[in-house]
Amino acid sequence: MDISGAAAIVGVAETDYMRGTSLSVPELVLEATMAAIADAGLDPSEIDGILPPPGFISSEEIAANLGADDIRYAVTVHMGGASPVAALQSATMAIAAGIATNVVITVGWNGYSAMRPRPDARPTKRRLEPGPFVDVSRNFYAPYGVRSAVQWYSMYIQRYVDLYDVEPTDAAQVALTCREHAHLNDKALMGGRPMTMDDYLASPLITEPMRKFDCCLETDCAAAVVLTSPERAMDLPHAPVLWLGGAEGHPYPADEITNRPDMLKLGLDSAAPRAFAMAGVQPADMDFLQIYDCFTYVVMMELEAIGMCPKGAAKEFVADGNISLSGRYPMNTHGGLLSQGHAWGLNHVVEAARQLRHEAGDAQVRDAELGVVTGYGDLGDGSIAVLARG
Amino acid sequence: MSTAKSARKYVPKPEGLNLEFHLACLEAGTLRIQRCTDCGQFRHPQRWYCPSCHSRNYDFAPVSGSGRIYSMAVNHFTVDRGWADELPYITAVVELDEGPRVVGSLRDVQPGQAGLGQPVRVSVEPRGEEFAYLWVDLA
Ligand SMILES: [Zn+2]
Protein backbone atom coordinates (compact mmCIF):
# COMPACT_ATOMS: atom_id res chain seq x y z
CA MET A 1 0.00 0.00 0.00
CA ASP A 2 1.51 3.29 -1.12
CA ILE A 3 0.45 6.07 1.23
CA SER A 4 2.51 8.81 -0.36
CA GLY A 5 0.16 11.74 -0.92
CA ALA A 6 -2.74 9.93 0.76
CA ALA A 7 -3.47 12.80 3.15
CA ALA A 8 -3.27 16.56 3.17
CA ILE A 9 -2.96 19.15 5.90
CA VAL A 10 -5.99 21.40 5.45
CA GLY A 11 -6.14 23.37 8.69
CA VAL A 12 -3.51 24.82 11.02
CA ALA A 13 -3.53 26.96 14.15
CA GLU A 14 -1.42 27.97 17.11
CA THR A 15 -2.15 29.92 20.26
CA ASP A 16 0.03 32.82 21.34
CA TYR A 17 3.43 31.80 22.63
CA MET A 18 3.49 32.91 26.25
CA ARG A 19 5.72 32.97 29.28
CA GLY A 20 3.04 32.91 31.89
CA THR A 21 -0.71 32.64 31.30
CA SER A 22 -3.87 32.22 33.32
CA LEU A 23 -5.16 29.69 30.76
CA SER A 24 -4.95 26.00 31.60
CA VAL A 25 -3.35 23.58 29.14
CA PRO A 26 -6.69 21.97 28.20
CA GLU A 27 -8.00 25.45 27.35
CA LEU A 28 -4.96 26.16 25.18
CA VAL A 29 -5.26 22.79 23.41
CA LEU A 30 -8.96 23.30 22.72
CA GLU A 31 -8.39 26.87 21.52
CA ALA A 32 -5.82 25.66 18.98
CA THR A 33 -7.94 22.66 18.00
CA MET A 34 -11.06 24.72 17.38
CA ALA A 35 -9.07 27.28 15.41
CA ALA A 36 -7.41 24.62 13.22
CA ILE A 37 -10.77 23.02 12.45
CA ALA A 38 -12.21 26.43 11.56
CA ASP A 39 -9.18 27.12 9.37
CA ALA A 40 -9.93 23.85 7.56
CA GLY A 41 -13.49 24.99 6.92
CA LEU A 42 -14.90 22.01 8.81
CA ASP A 43 -17.45 21.78 11.60
CA PRO A 44 -15.91 20.45 14.85
CA SER A 45 -18.41 17.58 14.87
CA GLU A 46 -16.94 16.32 11.57
CA ILE A 47 -13.70 15.30 13.31
CA ASP A 48 -13.46 11.50 13.55
CA GLY A 49 -9.80 11.04 14.44
CA ILE A 50 -7.86 12.63 17.32
CA LEU A 51 -4.18 12.43 18.22
CA PRO A 52 -3.92 14.26 21.55
CA PRO A 53 -0.75 15.23 23.42
CA PRO A 54 0.81 12.79 25.91
CA GLY A 55 -0.87 14.22 28.99
CA PHE A 56 -3.04 17.13 30.11
CA ILE A 57 -6.14 16.20 28.07
CA SER A 58 -7.50 13.00 26.53
CA SER A 59 -8.94 12.38 23.08
CA GLU A 60 -12.22 11.57 24.84
CA GLU A 61 -12.32 14.97 26.51
CA ILE A 62 -11.42 16.75 23.27
CA ALA A 63 -14.17 14.88 21.41
CA ALA A 64 -16.72 15.84 24.04
CA ASN A 65 -15.86 19.51 23.52
CA LEU A 66 -16.07 19.19 19.72
CA GLY A 67 -19.41 17.41 19.71
CA ALA A 68 -17.56 14.72 17.76
CA ASP A 69 -19.77 11.72 18.48
CA ASP A 70 -18.24 9.20 16.08
CA ILE A 71 -14.50 9.01 16.81
CA ARG A 72 -12.99 6.15 14.82
CA TYR A 73 -9.31 6.62 15.54
CA ALA A 74 -7.64 7.91 18.71
CA VAL A 75 -4.01 7.28 19.55
CA THR A 76 -1.25 9.12 21.38
CA VAL A 77 2.29 9.08 20.01
CA HIS A 78 4.89 8.77 22.76
CA MET A 79 8.05 10.16 21.19
CA GLY A 80 8.49 13.41 23.09
CA GLY A 81 9.23 16.22 20.65
CA ALA A 82 9.21 13.75 17.78
CA SER A 83 5.52 13.01 18.44
CA PRO A 84 3.77 15.66 16.30
CA VAL A 85 5.64 14.85 13.08
CA ALA A 86 5.30 11.10 13.73
CA ALA A 87 1.59 11.77 14.31
CA LEU A 88 1.36 13.06 10.72
CA GLN A 89 2.35 9.57 9.58
CA SER A 90 -0.16 7.95 11.92
CA ALA A 91 -2.97 10.24 10.74
CA THR A 92 -2.10 9.60 7.10
CA MET A 93 -2.19 5.85 7.69
CA ALA A 94 -5.65 6.13 9.25
CA ILE A 95 -6.94 8.27 6.38
CA ALA A 96 -5.33 6.12 3.66
CA ALA A 97 -6.82 2.97 5.18
CA GLY A 98 -10.28 4.52 5.34
CA ILE A 99 -10.35 4.29 9.12
CA ALA A 100 -10.94 8.01 9.63
CA THR A 101 -11.71 11.01 7.42
CA ASN A 102 -10.93 14.21 9.31
CA VAL A 103 -8.11 13.84 11.79
CA VAL A 104 -6.82 16.46 14.22
CA ILE A 105 -3.35 16.40 15.78
CA THR A 106 -2.84 18.70 18.73
CA VAL A 107 -0.28 19.41 21.44
CA GLY A 108 -0.05 21.95 24.20
CA TRP A 109 1.72 22.40 27.46
CA ASN A 110 2.75 24.76 30.23
CA GLY A 111 6.47 24.63 29.51
CA TYR A 112 6.99 27.96 31.23
CA SER A 113 4.37 27.98 33.96
CA ALA A 114 4.88 24.42 35.16
CA MET A 115 8.10 25.54 36.85
CA ARG A 116 6.90 29.07 37.63
CA PRO A 117 3.21 29.00 38.58
CA ARG A 118 1.54 32.35 39.06
CA PRO A 119 0.79 33.20 42.69
CA ASP A 120 -2.93 33.07 41.93
CA ALA A 121 -2.72 29.82 39.91
CA ARG A 122 -4.95 27.01 41.11
CA PRO A 123 -3.16 23.70 41.57
CA THR A 124 -3.77 21.10 38.87
CA LYS A 125 -3.18 17.37 38.62
CA ARG A 126 -2.98 17.58 34.84
CA ARG A 127 0.55 17.17 33.60
CA LEU A 128 2.77 15.80 30.90
CA GLU A 129 3.15 12.03 31.05
CA PRO A 130 6.72 10.86 31.65
CA GLY A 131 8.62 9.64 28.60
CA PRO A 132 8.97 5.92 27.87
CA PHE A 133 12.61 6.09 29.03
CA VAL A 134 11.75 7.33 32.53
CA ASP A 135 12.75 4.08 34.23
CA VAL A 136 16.29 4.27 32.84
CA SER A 137 16.73 8.01 33.36
CA ARG A 138 15.65 7.97 36.99
CA ASN A 139 17.72 4.90 37.89
CA PHE A 140 20.90 5.54 35.91
CA TYR A 141 21.20 9.28 35.16
CA ALA A 142 19.27 11.23 37.82
CA PRO A 143 21.33 9.85 40.75
CA TYR A 144 24.34 11.60 39.20
CA GLY A 145 22.68 14.98 38.75
CA VAL A 146 21.66 14.41 35.12
CA ARG A 147 17.92 14.91 34.89
CA SER A 148 17.10 17.37 32.11
CA ALA A 149 17.15 17.15 28.32
CA VAL A 150 20.18 19.40 27.87
CA GLN A 151 22.16 17.08 30.15
CA TRP A 152 21.01 13.83 28.51
CA TYR A 153 21.80 15.08 25.02
CA SER A 154 25.17 16.49 26.06
CA MET A 155 26.29 12.89 26.44
CA TYR A 156 26.29 12.51 22.65
CA ILE A 157 26.84 16.13 21.72
CA GLN A 158 30.18 16.03 23.59
CA ARG A 159 31.25 13.24 21.28
CA TYR A 160 29.85 15.05 18.25
CA VAL A 161 31.81 18.26 18.85
CA ASP A 162 34.92 16.28 19.76
CA LEU A 163 34.78 14.10 16.64
CA TYR A 164 34.04 16.90 14.16
CA ASP A 165 35.75 19.89 15.84
CA VAL A 166 32.51 21.85 16.09
CA GLU A 167 32.96 25.27 17.69
CA PRO A 168 30.42 27.41 19.59
CA THR A 169 30.59 29.90 16.71
CA ASP A 170 29.29 27.12 14.42
CA ALA A 171 26.28 26.32 16.59
CA ALA A 172 25.71 30.06 16.98
CA GLN A 173 24.71 30.25 13.30
CA VAL A 174 21.61 28.18 14.13
CA ALA A 175 20.66 30.39 17.09
CA LEU A 176 21.30 33.64 15.22
CA THR A 177 19.36 32.52 12.14
CA CYS A 178 16.33 31.47 14.18
CA ARG A 179 16.47 34.82 15.95
CA GLU A 180 16.61 36.72 12.64
CA HIS A 181 13.56 34.82 11.42
CA ALA A 182 11.67 35.48 14.66
CA HIS A 183 11.71 39.17 13.80
CA LEU A 184 9.52 38.32 10.78
CA ASN A 185 6.87 36.49 12.83
CA ASP A 186 4.17 38.32 14.81
CA LYS A 187 3.79 35.47 17.28
CA ALA A 188 7.47 34.87 17.96
CA LEU A 189 8.46 35.37 21.59
CA MET A 190 11.85 36.77 20.62
CA GLY A 191 10.69 38.94 17.75
CA GLY A 192 12.22 42.41 17.98
CA ARG A 193 14.88 41.26 20.42
CA PRO A 194 18.11 41.10 18.40
CA MET A 195 20.91 38.67 19.23
CA THR A 196 24.52 39.20 18.15
CA MET A 197 27.41 36.74 18.14
CA ASP A 198 28.77 38.57 21.18
CA ASP A 199 25.44 38.11 22.96
CA TYR A 200 25.52 34.42 22.10
CA LEU A 201 29.09 33.90 23.28
CA ALA A 202 28.36 35.83 26.50
CA SER A 203 25.41 33.62 27.38
CA PRO A 204 26.21 31.30 30.29
CA LEU A 205 27.19 27.65 29.90
CA ILE A 206 24.41 25.25 30.89
CA THR A 207 25.85 21.81 30.10
CA GLU A 208 28.94 21.82 27.87
CA PRO A 209 28.99 22.65 25.07
CA MET A 210 25.47 24.15 25.36
CA ARG A 211 25.02 27.73 26.42
CA LYS A 212 21.75 29.38 27.34
CA PHE A 213 21.27 30.62 23.77
CA ASP A 214 21.72 27.10 22.38
CA CYS A 215 18.56 26.11 24.28
CA CYS A 216 14.93 26.45 23.20
CA LEU A 217 12.38 28.61 24.97
CA GLU A 218 10.20 27.33 27.79
CA THR A 219 6.75 28.29 26.58
CA ASP A 220 3.04 28.05 27.42
CA CYS A 221 1.20 27.35 24.16
CA ALA A 222 -0.70 24.90 21.98
CA ALA A 223 -0.99 24.13 18.29
CA ALA A 224 -3.14 21.91 16.09
CA VAL A 225 -3.36 20.68 12.50
CA VAL A 226 -6.17 18.94 10.63
CA LEU A 227 -5.66 16.34 7.91
CA THR A 228 -8.05 14.80 5.44
CA SER A 229 -7.94 13.01 2.11
CA PRO A 230 -6.61 14.95 -0.92
CA GLU A 231 -10.01 14.49 -2.63
CA ARG A 232 -11.88 16.05 0.27
CA ALA A 233 -9.24 18.77 0.52
CA MET A 234 -10.21 20.07 -2.92
CA ASP A 235 -13.53 21.30 -1.47
CA LEU A 236 -11.89 23.13 1.46
CA PRO A 237 -10.76 26.76 1.57
CA HIS A 238 -6.96 26.50 1.56
CA ALA A 239 -4.44 25.06 -0.86
CA PRO A 240 -3.91 21.49 0.43
CA VAL A 241 -0.50 20.58 1.81
CA LEU A 242 0.24 17.03 0.76
CA TRP A 243 2.06 14.55 3.00
CA LEU A 244 4.36 13.10 0.34
CA GLY A 245 6.31 10.85 2.64
CA GLY A 246 7.36 10.41 6.20
CA ALA A 247 8.83 8.08 8.75
CA GLU A 248 9.75 7.66 12.37
CA GLY A 249 12.98 6.18 13.66
CA HIS A 250 14.37 5.12 17.00
CA PRO A 251 17.97 4.82 18.11
CA TYR A 252 18.93 1.48 19.66
CA PRO A 253 18.36 1.01 22.46
CA ALA A 254 15.90 3.90 22.49
CA ASP A 255 15.47 4.00 26.26
CA GLU A 256 19.18 4.32 27.10
CA ILE A 257 21.76 6.60 25.55
CA THR A 258 25.10 5.42 26.80
CA ASN A 259 25.17 1.79 25.63
CA ARG A 260 24.25 2.49 22.03
CA PRO A 261 26.83 0.91 19.71
CA ASP A 262 27.01 4.26 17.88
CA MET A 263 25.96 7.05 20.21
CA LEU A 264 25.82 9.52 17.32
CA LYS A 265 23.19 7.57 15.38
CA LEU A 266 19.80 9.19 15.93
CA GLY A 267 16.37 7.86 15.08
CA LEU A 268 16.33 10.35 12.21
CA ASP A 269 19.32 8.62 10.58
CA SER A 270 17.17 5.59 9.81
CA ALA A 271 13.89 7.49 9.29
CA ALA A 272 15.03 10.08 6.76
CA PRO A 273 16.06 7.77 3.88
CA ARG A 274 12.71 5.98 4.21
CA ALA A 275 10.80 9.26 4.08
CA PHE A 276 12.62 10.64 1.03
CA ALA A 277 12.31 7.31 -0.79
CA MET A 278 8.56 7.28 -0.14
CA ALA A 279 8.24 10.89 -1.29
CA GLY A 280 10.33 10.24 -4.39
CA VAL A 281 12.42 13.38 -3.90
CA GLN A 282 15.91 14.24 -2.70
CA PRO A 283 17.02 16.35 0.27
CA ALA A 284 18.57 18.80 -2.20
CA ASP A 285 15.11 19.39 -3.74
CA MET A 286 13.78 21.07 -0.60
CA ASP A 287 12.72 24.72 -0.79
CA PHE A 288 12.86 25.10 3.00
CA LEU A 289 13.69 23.16 6.16
CA GLN A 290 11.76 23.21 9.46
CA ILE A 291 14.14 21.40 11.80
CA TYR A 292 13.28 20.52 15.39
CA ASP A 293 15.52 22.87 17.32
CA CYS A 294 15.44 22.00 21.00
CA PHE A 295 19.18 22.68 20.94
CA THR A 296 21.40 24.16 18.22
CA TYR A 297 23.80 21.20 18.17
CA VAL A 298 20.89 18.79 17.77
CA VAL A 299 19.85 20.76 14.67
CA MET A 300 23.33 20.21 13.24
CA MET A 301 23.13 16.47 13.86
CA GLU A 302 19.64 16.37 12.31
CA LEU A 303 20.77 18.22 9.17
CA GLU A 304 23.39 15.51 8.67
CA ALA A 305 20.93 12.73 9.52
CA ILE A 306 18.44 13.85 6.87
CA GLY A 307 21.16 14.06 4.26
CA MET A 308 21.42 17.81 3.71
CA CYS A 309 25.20 17.38 4.09
CA PRO A 310 27.71 14.65 4.98
CA LYS A 311 28.46 13.70 8.59
CA GLY A 312 30.45 16.44 10.28
CA ALA A 313 29.67 19.00 7.58
CA ALA A 314 26.73 20.76 9.24
CA LYS A 315 29.08 23.47 10.47
CA GLU A 316 29.71 24.41 6.84
CA PHE A 317 26.04 23.91 5.89
CA VAL A 318 24.77 26.42 8.46
CA ALA A 319 27.45 29.01 7.63
CA ASP A 320 27.40 31.95 5.23
CA GLY A 321 23.65 32.52 5.33
CA ASN A 322 22.80 29.19 3.65
CA ILE A 323 19.92 28.62 6.12
CA SER A 324 18.66 32.21 6.25
CA LEU A 325 15.56 33.35 4.38
CA SER A 326 17.69 34.66 1.54
CA GLY A 327 19.85 31.53 1.44
CA ARG A 328 19.46 28.31 -0.53
CA TYR A 329 17.83 26.39 2.34
CA PRO A 330 15.83 28.74 4.58
CA MET A 331 15.46 27.02 7.95
CA ASN A 332 12.96 27.58 10.76
CA THR A 333 11.39 30.54 9.03
CA HIS A 334 9.10 31.12 12.04
CA GLY A 335 11.96 31.40 14.52
CA GLY A 336 11.75 27.80 15.71
CA LEU A 337 11.71 26.51 19.25
CA LEU A 338 14.76 28.67 19.82
CA SER A 339 13.11 32.02 19.09
CA GLN A 340 9.42 31.61 18.24
CA GLY A 341 8.29 29.28 21.01
CA HIS A 342 8.10 25.63 21.96
CA ALA A 343 4.99 23.82 20.76
CA TRP A 344 6.73 20.46 20.56
CA GLY A 345 7.55 21.10 16.92
CA LEU A 346 3.93 21.19 15.84
CA ASN A 347 4.66 24.87 15.24
CA HIS A 348 7.17 23.67 12.62
CA VAL A 349 4.36 21.80 10.87
CA VAL A 350 2.11 24.87 11.07
CA GLU A 351 4.88 27.00 9.54
CA ALA A 352 5.60 24.46 6.80
CA ALA A 353 1.91 24.47 5.86
CA ARG A 354 1.84 28.28 5.78
CA GLN A 355 4.92 28.33 3.55
CA LEU A 356 3.34 25.86 1.12
CA ARG A 357 0.06 27.80 1.09
CA HIS A 358 2.14 30.93 0.39
CA GLU A 359 0.71 32.56 3.51
CA ALA A 360 3.95 33.02 5.46
CA GLY A 361 3.99 36.80 5.22
CA ASP A 362 7.37 38.48 5.56
CA ALA A 363 8.99 35.06 6.05
CA GLN A 364 7.61 33.63 2.80
CA VAL A 365 10.06 31.52 0.80
CA ARG A 366 9.33 32.53 -2.77
CA ASP A 367 7.47 29.91 -4.82
CA ALA A 368 7.81 27.29 -2.08
CA GLU A 369 6.61 23.94 -3.43
CA LEU A 370 8.41 21.36 -1.31
CA GLY A 371 9.69 21.32 2.25
CA VAL A 372 10.76 19.03 5.05
CA VAL A 373 9.81 19.02 8.73
CA THR A 374 11.63 17.04 11.40
CA GLY A 375 10.81 16.03 14.92
CA TYR A 376 13.22 14.95 17.64
CA GLY A 377 12.52 13.84 21.14
CA ASP A 378 12.89 11.60 24.16
CA LEU A 379 16.45 10.24 24.00
CA GLY A 380 16.98 10.73 20.26
CA ASP A 381 13.79 9.48 18.62
CA GLY A 382 13.25 11.06 15.23
CA SER A 383 10.42 11.77 12.83
CA ILE A 384 10.23 13.43 9.44
CA ALA A 385 7.65 14.53 6.89
CA VAL A 386 8.16 15.69 3.33
CA LEU A 387 5.36 18.10 2.44
CA ALA A 388 4.32 19.54 -0.91
CA ARG A 389 1.97 22.22 -2.18
CA GLY A 390 -0.98 20.29 -3.60
CA MET B 1 30.76 19.51 49.40
CA SER B 2 27.15 19.72 50.48
CA THR B 3 26.28 21.87 53.44
CA ALA B 4 23.86 20.71 56.10
CA LYS B 5 21.24 23.13 54.79
CA SER B 6 21.29 21.97 51.20
CA ALA B 7 18.74 19.62 49.69
CA ARG B 8 19.57 15.94 49.71
CA LYS B 9 20.68 14.15 46.60
CA TYR B 10 18.13 11.89 45.00
CA VAL B 11 18.66 8.19 45.68
CA PRO B 12 16.40 5.88 43.66
CA LYS B 13 14.57 2.93 45.13
CA PRO B 14 15.59 0.19 42.70
CA GLU B 15 13.29 -2.71 41.92
CA GLY B 16 13.43 -5.98 40.02
CA LEU B 17 16.53 -6.65 37.95
CA ASN B 18 17.90 -3.20 38.75
CA LEU B 19 17.74 -4.02 42.47
CA GLU B 20 19.56 -7.29 41.81
CA PHE B 21 22.36 -5.30 40.16
CA HIS B 22 22.72 -2.96 43.10
CA LEU B 23 22.62 -5.77 45.67
CA ALA B 24 25.29 -7.67 43.72
CA CYS B 25 27.56 -4.61 43.68
CA LEU B 26 26.95 -3.87 47.36
CA GLU B 27 27.63 -7.44 48.42
CA ALA B 28 30.88 -7.57 46.45
CA GLY B 29 31.93 -4.02 47.24
CA THR B 30 33.00 -3.65 43.61
CA LEU B 31 31.27 -3.22 40.27
CA ARG B 32 29.29 -6.16 38.90
CA ILE B 33 27.63 -6.19 35.47
CA GLN B 34 24.81 -8.42 34.25
CA ARG B 35 26.15 -11.17 31.96
CA CYS B 36 24.42 -13.83 29.87
CA THR B 37 25.48 -17.23 31.23
CA ASP B 38 24.71 -18.87 27.88
CA CYS B 39 26.61 -16.67 25.39
CA GLY B 40 28.71 -14.66 27.85
CA GLN B 41 27.70 -11.21 26.64
CA PHE B 42 27.55 -8.39 29.20
CA ARG B 43 24.52 -6.11 29.22
CA HIS B 44 23.78 -2.83 30.96
CA PRO B 45 21.26 -1.52 31.97
CA GLN B 46 19.66 -4.76 33.08
CA ARG B 47 17.36 -6.62 30.69
CA TRP B 48 15.32 -9.78 31.20
CA TYR B 49 16.40 -11.37 27.91
CA CYS B 50 19.87 -11.43 26.40
CA PRO B 51 19.49 -9.31 23.26
CA SER B 52 22.06 -11.52 21.46
CA CYS B 53 20.91 -15.09 22.15
CA HIS B 54 17.58 -14.42 23.90
CA SER B 55 18.49 -16.52 26.89
CA ARG B 56 16.92 -15.60 30.23
CA ASN B 57 19.90 -16.96 32.18
CA TYR B 58 22.27 -14.44 33.70
CA ASP B 59 24.53 -13.62 36.57
CA PHE B 60 26.18 -10.46 37.86
CA ALA B 61 29.80 -10.96 36.92
CA PRO B 62 32.87 -9.17 38.29
CA VAL B 63 34.48 -6.58 36.02
CA SER B 64 37.82 -4.82 36.40
CA GLY B 65 36.32 -1.38 37.00
CA SER B 66 38.87 0.10 34.64
CA GLY B 67 37.91 1.83 31.44
CA ARG B 68 37.99 5.12 29.57
CA ILE B 69 35.85 8.23 29.47
CA TYR B 70 33.53 7.65 26.52
CA SER B 71 31.56 10.85 27.01
CA MET B 72 30.51 13.20 29.76
CA ALA B 73 28.00 15.77 30.89
CA VAL B 74 29.91 18.81 32.15
CA ASN B 75 27.27 20.57 34.20
CA HIS B 76 27.36 24.31 34.88
CA PHE B 77 23.67 24.59 35.74
CA THR B 78 21.25 22.26 37.43
CA VAL B 79 17.53 22.14 38.19
CA ASP B 80 18.35 19.62 40.93
CA ARG B 81 18.76 21.41 44.26
CA GLY B 82 20.60 18.41 45.63
CA TRP B 83 23.40 19.16 43.18
CA ALA B 84 23.40 22.97 43.28
CA ASP B 85 26.33 23.17 45.72
CA GLU B 86 28.46 20.92 43.52
CA LEU B 87 28.50 23.12 40.40
CA PRO B 88 30.33 22.72 38.18
CA TYR B 89 30.27 18.92 38.26
CA ILE B 90 31.08 16.24 35.73
CA THR B 91 29.02 13.12 35.10
CA ALA B 92 31.10 10.60 33.17
CA VAL B 93 30.09 7.88 30.76
CA VAL B 94 32.75 5.20 31.20
CA GLU B 95 33.39 2.47 28.66
CA LEU B 96 34.63 -0.44 30.74
CA ASP B 97 37.46 -2.60 29.41
CA GLU B 98 34.90 -5.42 29.23
CA GLY B 99 32.66 -3.39 26.88
CA PRO B 100 29.58 -2.10 28.69
CA ARG B 101 29.30 1.57 29.57
CA VAL B 102 28.25 2.95 32.96
CA VAL B 103 27.38 6.42 34.22
CA GLY B 104 29.00 7.78 37.37
CA SER B 105 30.35 10.88 39.07
CA LEU B 106 33.84 11.98 38.06
CA ARG B 107 35.30 13.37 41.26
CA ASP B 108 38.06 15.84 42.05
CA VAL B 109 38.25 16.96 38.42
CA GLN B 110 37.44 20.43 37.12
CA PRO B 111 35.95 21.10 33.67
CA GLY B 112 38.72 21.15 31.10
CA GLN B 113 40.96 18.80 33.11
CA ALA B 114 39.55 15.59 31.64
CA GLY B 115 38.88 14.57 28.07
CA LEU B 116 37.29 11.76 26.12
CA GLY B 117 39.42 8.63 26.06
CA GLN B 118 41.11 9.32 29.38
CA PRO B 119 41.69 6.17 31.52
CA VAL B 120 39.56 5.97 34.68
CA ARG B 121 38.51 3.56 37.42
CA VAL B 122 34.96 2.97 38.63
CA SER B 123 34.26 2.12 42.27
CA VAL B 124 31.07 1.62 44.27
CA GLU B 125 29.89 3.22 47.49
CA PRO B 126 26.74 2.18 49.37
CA ARG B 127 23.92 4.71 49.56
CA GLY B 128 21.57 3.04 51.96
CA GLU B 129 20.87 -0.67 51.76
CA GLU B 130 19.81 -0.90 48.12
CA PHE B 131 21.74 1.55 45.98
CA ALA B 132 25.36 1.31 44.85
CA TYR B 133 26.63 4.74 43.87
CA LEU B 134 29.28 4.74 41.15
CA TRP B 135 32.36 6.93 41.55
CA VAL B 136 34.75 7.60 38.69
CA ASP B 137 38.38 8.56 39.34
CA LEU B 138 41.15 9.36 36.88
CA ALA B 139 43.45 6.33 36.68
ZN1 LIG C 1 23.21 -14.49 25.46
Side-chain angles (χ1 to χ4, degrees), chain A residues 10 26 29 51 60 95 139 169-170 243 253 255 289 318 327 339 348:
Chain A
V10 291
V29 166
L51 287 86
E60 284 92 339
I95 291 164
N139 284 316
T169 46
D170 299 322
W243 186 90
D255 66 347
L289 320 169
V318 300
S339 277
H348 293 51

Side-chain angles (χ1 to χ4, degrees), chain A residues 115 135-148 151 154-159 162 205-208 252-253 255-263, chain B residues 10 12 14 18 21-22 44-47 51 70-80 83 89 91 93 99-101 103-105 111 116 131-134:
Chain A
M115 305 285 276
D135 201 58
V136 167
S137 65
R138 72 179 164 213
N139 284 316
F140 294 92
Y141 310 153
Y144 304 99
V146 168
R147 60 193 315 160
S148 65
Q151 295 172 302
S154 78
M155 293 193 282
Y156 39 83
I157 290 169
Q158 275 285 350
R159 286 189 65 80
D162 195 76
L205 281 167
I206 304 295
T207 309
E208 292 185 27
Y252 181 81
D255 66 347
E256 207 276 313
I257 289 173
T258 67
N259 279 280
R260 292 176 186 164
D262 179 358
M263 219 198 258
Chain B
Y10 161 73
N18 186 223
F21 158 73
H22 284 286
H44 187 82
Q46 297 74 48
R47 309 284 183 186
Y70 187 77
S71 192
M72 54 188 167
V74 183
N75 305 284
H76 295 263
F77 174 86
T78 179
V79 293
D80 187 335
W83 282 86
Y89 60 89
T91 311
V93 179
R101 302 182 196 129
V103 173
S105 281
L116 307 192
F131 189 82
Y133 191 86
L134 303 188

